[in-house]
Amino acid sequence: LVPLLPAWCLRNEGVSSVLLGSSNPEQLIENLGAIQVLPKMTSHIVNEIDNILGNKPYSKKDYR
């Protein structure tokens, strides 16, 4: 589940980078697992997650 969080953040078109915090090397390695999850984050999967959580981020277009 943890690699899903940074991958979900990176899929947002308004995000260019994600800051990862870790308290030990193992946690950092686990967080970097998002690199493997990112290609699996299709539009369909991201929409499903957004619908389940009910907190879809605003697009840059929404701010104008």
Side-chain angles (χ1 to χ4, degrees):
L1 178 62
V2 172
L4 178 63
L5 301 175
W8 179 82
C9 291
L10 286 169
R11 285 287 297 169
N12 182 341
E13 67 182 32
V15 173
S16 60
S17 62
V18 174
L19 300 176
L20 298 175
S22 60
S23 56
N24 57 55
E26 292 80 17
Q27 189 178 27
L28 177 61
I29 291 168
E30 186 176 8
N31 285 333
L32 291 175
I35 295 168
Q36 295 175 341
V37 174
L38 193 56
K40 299 175 185 177
M41 298 288 289
T42 64
S43 296
H44 176 73
I45 297 293
V46 172
N47 285 334
E48 290 284 326
I49 293 169
D50 290 340
N51 288 334
I52 290 168
L53 297 177
N55 63 348
K56 181 177 180 177
Y58 291 104
S59 147
K60 285 182 181 179
K61 299 171 194 168
D62 295 335
Y63 290 118
R64 295 183 183 170

